[in-house]
Amino acid sequence: STKYAADSVVRYDAIESSLKTININPFIAYKINQMVAVAVGVQAQQADVTLSKAARVIGTPATDVLTKATGKDWGFGMNVAIFVNPWKDGHFGLTYQSHVRHNISGNFNATGGTLGVPGAFAALNIVAGDQAIKAAMTTPEIVAAHYTHDITDKLTVGATAKWTRWTRYDKLTVKLASNGNTVGRTEEQNWSNTWFLALGGTYKLNEAWALRMGVAYDQTPITEHRSARLPGNDRTWVSAGVEWNPSEFTKVGLSYTHIFVRDTNIDRGDAGLGNRTVGKFKNTVDIIGFQANFKF
């Protein structure tokens, strides 16, 4: 999610953009022999979306109209994995996660300004009050390969290569539920497929404690239509963590990640309409993770 003040200089491009998902993923795993195991799972995913921005009404004086779209939906998919131990110290995994289609239903609301003036607002189906809307969204397929190797009894190194099919996200369109007409303007996206490459290692201090470190390069899918909604760029990850195994049935982990993001330039809108946005974003991300596993 990203969120800006209602009077921000980027308000005609974005104010609030939020996508929250809950993913329930039951699976069945089967060990074919000492070398090969497979797993199959089903995804049940809820998506909760909020999108808002301002629209400029040219007049004397010029005023803003706040538009906000919200919606939810459940979608379903699957995933498959195969794990191979080609030799004693090597472990290989290949995973596939399917796309999930969402047909989101919700509400569109417009407030403020002088709605209906100029007439272009009527052409964009933006009117005062609430309107029922629908929108289609598809989350991407992900294919990943993982390999770990036990260098010694204490040191294990690993690598991951992950491909994500972001070309499924080509445009952002909100439509009226009543007649299918587009609300506002379609926002072109045309995202590109990406690679995520990671290298890391685990060092066992003793039977109970282990240290982890890793680095990664993460391509951005945004190459053409960058906006304030998600001013992303290529990222470099640096991570460190600690793992505690108090018993053979319990594992607890704590990790910290810092993500360096390349500076991002945007140039959007129409200067003649007073809604052009030009600027540079400087972004960093910090993640603290906690993990607990219990074996029964």
Side-chain angles (χ1 to χ4, degrees):
S1 68
T2 57
K3 190 172 184 179
Y4 307 93
D7 60 351
S8 167
V9 294
V10 302
R11 65 188 181 276
Y12 304 116
D13 203 25
I15 294 178
E16 181 178 4
S17 308
S18 173
L19 170 61
K20 302 172 185 175
T21 60
I22 297 174
N23 206 67
I24 301 171
N25 187 198
F27 67 91
I28 296 174
Y30 180 73
K31 189 173 183 179
I32 297 175
N33 52 43
Q34 293 301 315
M35 183 179 291
V36 181
V38 295
V40 178
V42 177
Q43 296 183 78
Q45 184 182 86
Q46 185 196 52
D48 186 343
V49 182
T50 299
L51 300 169
S52 69
K53 65 179 181 179
R56 189 168 180 81
V57 181
I58 304 299
T60 308
T63 58
D64 285 352
V65 172
L66 175 63
T67 65
K68 185 175 184 179
T70 58
K72 292 183 178 181
D73 180 63
W74 279 93
F76 300 91
M78 55 142 344
N79 48 10
V80 179
I82 181 169
F83 305 96
V84 181
N85 298 323
W87 41 77
K88 179 182 177 182
D89 299 323
H91 316 279
F92 176 78
L94 184 65
T95 61
Y96 168 79
Q97 178 178 308
S98 75
H99 66 276
V100 177
R101 290 192 177 95
H102 289 281
N103 294 306
I104 295 171
S105 300
N107 178 74
F108 182 86
N109 180 269
T111 57
T114 307
L115 288 162
V117 180
F121 270 39
L124 295 174
N125 296 307
I126 297 177
V127 298
D130 296 333
Q131 301 178 87
I133 56 169
K134 59 183 180 179
M137 181 189 76
T138 302
T139 61
E141 296 98 321
I142 300 174
V143 180
H146 317 271
Y147 181 76
T148 60
H149 195 90
D150 301 326
I151 304 298
T152 68
D153 291 341
K154 291 182 175 294
L155 178 63
T156 299
V157 297
T160 291
K162 180 169 66 175
W163 178 84
T164 304
R165 189 183 177 186
W166 279 118
T167 49
R168 286 197 174 273
Y169 187 40
D170 59 345
K171 59 186 175 181
L172 179 59
T173 303
V174 176
K175 297 183 177 182
L176 292 173
S178 58
N179 55 23
N181 291 336
T182 300
V183 182
R185 291 185 173 88
T186 294
E187 297 182 24
E188 297 294 334
Q189 304 297 322
N190 295 327
W191 282 17
S192 300
N193 298 328
T194 62
W195 283 96
F196 174 89
L197 305 173
L199 180 67
T202 299
Y203 184 78
K204 294 181 180 179
L205 297 174
N206 50 47
E207 291 299 320
W209 292 92
L211 302 178
R212 297 180 182 274
M213 292 191 68
V215 295
Y217 172 70
D218 191 4
Q219 278 185 317
T220 180
I222 311 167
T223 57
E224 184 178 356
H225 299 283
R226 279 193 173 89
S227 76
R229 285 208 184 280
L230 191 61
N233 213 325
D234 293 343
R235 299 168 291 275
T236 301
W237 300 52
V238 179
S239 303
V242 60
E243 183 181 282
W244 178 45
N245 296 271
S247 72
E248 61 177 313
F249 304 107
T250 306
K251 182 187 297 184
V252 180
L254 181 66
S255 64
Y256 168 73
T257 299
H258 181 79
I259 304 177
F260 301 89
V261 187
R262 287 178 55 190
D263 291 350
T264 302
N265 296 307
I266 67 168
D267 187 345
R268 309 246 312 165
D270 188 335
L273 297 178
N275 63 4
R276 184 182 179 197
T277 302
V278 181
K280 176 183 286 188
F281 285 83
K282 293 181 177 292
N283 303 307
T284 59
V285 182
D286 292 285
I287 303 171
I288 297 175
F290 175 77
Q291 177 179 325
N293 294 307
F294 304 96
K295 185 185 297 185
F296 299 98

